[in-house]
Amino acid sequence: MPPQFQELQHIGATGKRQTIMANNQLQVLNALDVAKTQWYHFTAIVIAGMGFFTDSYDLFSISIVTKLLGRLYYQVPKTPKPGVLPINVYAAVNGVALCGALAGQLFFGWLGDKMGRKKVYGITLIMMVTCSLASGFSFGHSSKAVISTLCFFRFWLGFGVGGDYPLSAAIMSEYANKKTRGAFIAAVFAMQGIGILVGGIVGLIVSAGFESHYHSPSYKEDPVASCPPNADYIWRTILMFGAIPAGLTYYWRMQMPETARYTALITKNAKKAAEDMSKVLQVDITAEPEKLEQLDVQRQNFGLFSWEFVRVYGLRLLGTCSTWFLLDIGFYSQNLFQKDLFSSIGWLPSAEKMSAIREVYKVARAQTLIALCGTVPGYWFTVAFIDIIGRFWIQLMGFIMMSTFMLALGIPYHHWQKEAHRIGFIIMYALTFFFANFGPNATTFIVPAEVFPARLRSTCHGISAAAGRAGAIVGAIGFLYISQEKDPKQRDAGYPSGIGKKDSLILLAGLNFIGAIFTPLVPETKGKTLEEASGEAIELDVHEVPRHSA
């Protein structure tokens, strides 16, 4: 018998009953839990992470090209300012992928528990690659045709991206060891930051290349020449590039074996699970089919739509859904304030002082700098500290710090708009993103992959992620309207009046504080096996375990 299975605890004076500590789970699952960090862990991180690279690249790169789309397709002749997307079109272009992601998270989350993580994993990647490429094509030349085509493919792109959330989280959590599981799942999610950064860099390279060729004047100097027709290729190239890294990982994604927890605990194939993980871990693992049968008899198998699920997991699901929903309202609404931020610190001159190509370059540069200063470091701080500090404290700290910095930005908002204070503004703005990513933006993704049973893990993660996407829709679309200034001179033409950015920041700070209040609903999972964290750990009577299974 391997030494990790020999830890016994005697209960009672008679010694008739013994509770097996490490032996209360299959050997294949224990082997995964105690495995040292190996090359396959890093391989899995890259393969799963490329989906999140594509996710963030496509969802955030659209903000680089929306101003260009307004100049190309909504320009009104003989006006003092370049064309902008109407507010309903802007909301559609930015929000349609989020709507698709919400639907994809629910559908593929459920499908991942029914068909298996691996079988569905390839479908989502194909959808992401295909729709990323298709986003650069149009069925027609009119503004209506271009925007309709773009929105159609971005919806289905979001649908595939949404499916990648529960599948990647479930796969990484079920492959990882218990000691560094949080860091591994966080590393997958951290590829989102790399995608945002690369999106900015690609925008810089493409726009710089076009600018060196066309040398377009500013809109103020020559409205027509400031936006050459071939600038249309800029946004198409930027959006299509996101398909390349994800497409390169398709072969390796298909070579990954199904997770041992799905194979053993859901399909009940102990032999296949042991064979697959023996190859991955390069150790001999006993199949233990009789033990699996004993575990299955004692394990509760209630469904999602049952009172028993509500009793056992209801508060956990409420916690994971509510915190993700509240986090994404604040996280996705932050893009609305970037225009004022970039303008106030001189990164983004007024539109009429730039050509269309130069404006793309300036926006891409600003997004790249924000990603370098605040977004990317926050993700990797989570990777470094999540298995030391724990999920609960990182999430609680993140919500509180986001609330604090948003209040500090919102209450004296007009103070920060003065040129003398612009450095302080950008520092606190970057820190807001830093604590979002070294905080609830990462933990809300990690925890739902740990606190639900294997048979419902992908489904419950998908539900939690869909709640987050609902928050993202509120943040990206709802706050687009809410945050508009009351003064018509401070709004783009055709945009309705709202409460203004000052009051919007204060409102968002309050929502983040509510997120901190809901955080205790989710249990801490640091240092626990998945079965312990999800409440699936079972104590077996030693007499019920067949001798030869050891």
Side-chain angles (χ1 to χ4, degrees):
M1 179 185 295
Q4 64 263 36
F5 299 149
Q6 294 177 356
E7 185 180 0
L8 302 177
Q9 179 181 0
H10 295 274
I11 299 179
T14 61
K16 291 183 179 179
R17 182 176 177 82
Q18 296 174 317
T19 303
I20 300 179
M21 302 293 284
N23 204 23
N24 67 348
Q25 67 176 165
L26 295 173
Q27 183 180 344
V28 64
L29 303 187
N30 189 68
L32 286 167
D33 286 335
V34 302
K36 294 181 180 179
T37 301
Q38 300 178 33
W39 180 249
Y40 85 89
H41 286 121
F42 297 106
T43 304
I45 288 170
V46 173
I47 294 171
M50 275 300 113
F52 283 91
F53 175 96
T54 303
D55 161 33
S56 60
Y57 181 94
D58 288 308
L59 293 182
F60 286 87
S61 63
I62 193 68
S63 64
I64 297 175
V65 300
T66 47
K67 291 180 179 294
L68 177 61
L69 291 171
R71 291 194 187 225
L72 286 167
Y73 300 109
Y74 291 90
Q75 180 61 51
V76 178
K78 299 180 180 179
T79 53
K81 290 186 178 182
V84 295
L85 295 179
I87 190 168
N88 61 324
V89 175
Y90 184 93
V93 169
N94 284 274
V96 69
L98 299 175
C99 295
L102 189 155
Q105 284 158 344
L106 293 173
F107 177 72
F108 286 113
W110 168 78
L111 205 62
D113 284 333
K114 295 298 179 183
M115 292 180 56
R117 287 55 158 138
K118 178 187 174 180
K119 288 182 180 178
V120 185
Y121 213 28
I123 299 173
T124 60
L125 189 68
I126 291 172
M127 288 193 69
M128 286 191 290
V129 171
T130 302
C131 294
S132 288
L133 293 173
S135 293
F137 295 96
S138 304
F139 298 145
H141 300 285
S142 67
S143 60
K144 186 176 182 180
V146 171
I147 297 300
S148 297
T149 305
L150 178 61
C151 288
F152 174 81
F153 285 117
R154 283 187 63 77
F155 175 86
W156 291 108
L157 168 64
F159 193 73
V161 163
D164 225 53
Y165 270 68
L167 296 172
S168 291
I171 286 171
M172 200 65 239
S173 69
E174 292 176 353
Y175 263 113
N177 59 56
K178 69 177 182 179
K179 184 179 179 181
T180 57
R181 185 178 62 243
F184 289 155
I185 305 174
V188 170
F189 194 63
M191 293 300 290
Q192 191 179 74
I194 304 299
I196 297 171
L197 180 61
V198 172
I201 293 172
V202 171
L204 283 172
I205 294 172
V206 174
S207 58
F210 273 78
E211 189 174 39
S212 66
H213 186 269
Y214 288 100
H215 305 289
S216 304
S218 68
Y219 181 85
K220 193 173 182 178
E221 294 172 322
D222 189 337
V224 176
S226 70
C227 186
N230 283 342
D232 188 63
Y233 291 109
I234 294 176
W235 69 267
R236 299 178 189 275
T237 304
I238 292 172
L239 295 184
M240 293 171 71
F241 181 84
I244 297 175
L248 293 176
T249 65
Y250 178 79
Y251 172 80
W252 288 276
R253 187 174 281 206
M254 292 297 93
Q255 295 303 306
M256 291 178 69
E258 182 59 84
T259 70
R261 284 180 165 89
Y262 185 88
T263 303
L265 301 180
I266 300 178
T267 65
K268 316 300 180 187
N269 192 338
K271 182 179 179 181
K272 177 63 174 173
E275 288 177 354
D276 287 343
M277 292 305 105
S278 293
K279 293 177 183 177
V280 169
L281 298 174
Q282 297 182 342
V283 296
D284 293 327
I285 299 176
T286 306
E288 303 178 304
E290 299 88 350
K291 185 176 179 181
L292 175 61
E293 185 177 343
Q294 289 290 335
L295 288 168
D296 192 49
V297 169
Q298 298 190 33
R299 182 174 284 111
Q300 294 177 310
N301 288 309
F302 50 81
L304 179 66
F305 300 105
S306 65
W307 284 112
E308 190 67 13
F309 176 87
V310 174
R311 183 184 67 82
V312 178
Y313 295 105
L315 284 178
R316 293 186 182 190
L317 188 59
L318 173 62
T320 57
C321 289
S322 59
T323 52
W324 207 336
F325 173 79
L326 293 163
L327 175 275
D328 273 7
I329 293 177
F331 188 79
Y332 282 86
S333 65
Q334 288 301 294
N335 287 333
L336 304 175
F337 305 103
Q338 288 187 0
K339 176 185 174 183
D340 288 339
L341 166 66
F342 300 157
S343 298
S344 68
I345 61 176
W347 285 358
L348 192 62
S350 56
E352 64 273 13
K353 295 180 181 179
M354 296 182 287
S355 69
I357 300 174
R358 188 63 179 171
E359 189 172 35
V360 173
Y361 179 87
K362 289 282 190 178
V363 173
R365 185 184 70 168
Q367 180 170 302
T368 302
L369 290 172
I370 289 293
L372 281 172
C373 295
T375 305
V376 173
Y379 285 109
W380 293 101
F381 264 70
T382 300
V383 173
F385 292 107
I386 191 164
D387 289 311
I388 299 172
I389 301 174
R391 287 71 160 155
F392 172 82
W393 290 112
I394 288 179
Q395 181 164 309
L396 185 66
M397 173 196 66
F399 270 127
I400 292 174
M401 295 303 290
M402 287 178 68
S403 184
T404 300
F405 283 115
M406 284 185 178
L407 283 175
L409 288 170
I411 293 175
Y413 185 72
H414 299 295
H415 166 82
W416 296 116
Q417 298 307 295
K418 298 177 182 178
E419 185 175 349
H421 306 130
R422 63 191 187 185
I423 299 299
F425 188 95
I426 190 173
I427 290 173
M428 290 211 290
Y429 185 79
L431 285 171
T432 304
F433 271 103
F434 175 82
F435 282 106
N437 295 315
F438 182 35
N441 192 38
T443 55
T444 52
F445 172 79
I446 295 167
V447 173
E450 299 177 312
V451 298
F452 298 106
R455 69 185 185 280
L456 298 172
R457 181 167 293 131
S458 180
T459 301
C460 290
H461 194 286
I463 293 171
S464 304
R469 274 300 179 263
I473 293 168
V474 173
I477 299 178
F479 271 82
L480 172 63
Y481 288 86
I482 293 172
S483 65
Q484 295 299 316
E485 300 294 345
K486 298 175 183 178
D487 184 356
K489 295 180 181 179
Q490 297 180 353
R491 305 193 306 265
D492 287 323
Y495 281 48
S497 174
I499 65 175
K501 291 183 172 57
K502 172 185 171 75
D503 292 336
S504 295
L505 281 165
I506 296 172
L507 176 58
L508 290 169
L511 293 175
N512 285 320
F513 185 75
I514 297 173
I517 294 174
F518 276 94
T519 293
L521 292 178
V522 182
E524 178 59 72
T525 58
K526 182 184 72 170
K528 296 180 180 179
T529 68
L530 275 182
E531 286 64 44
E532 291 168 343
S534 64
E536 288 185 288
I538 297 173
E539 293 183 347
L540 290 179
D541 191 311
V542 72
H543 298 298
E544 293 178 348
V545 182
R547 290 181 179 275
H548 60 275
S549 68

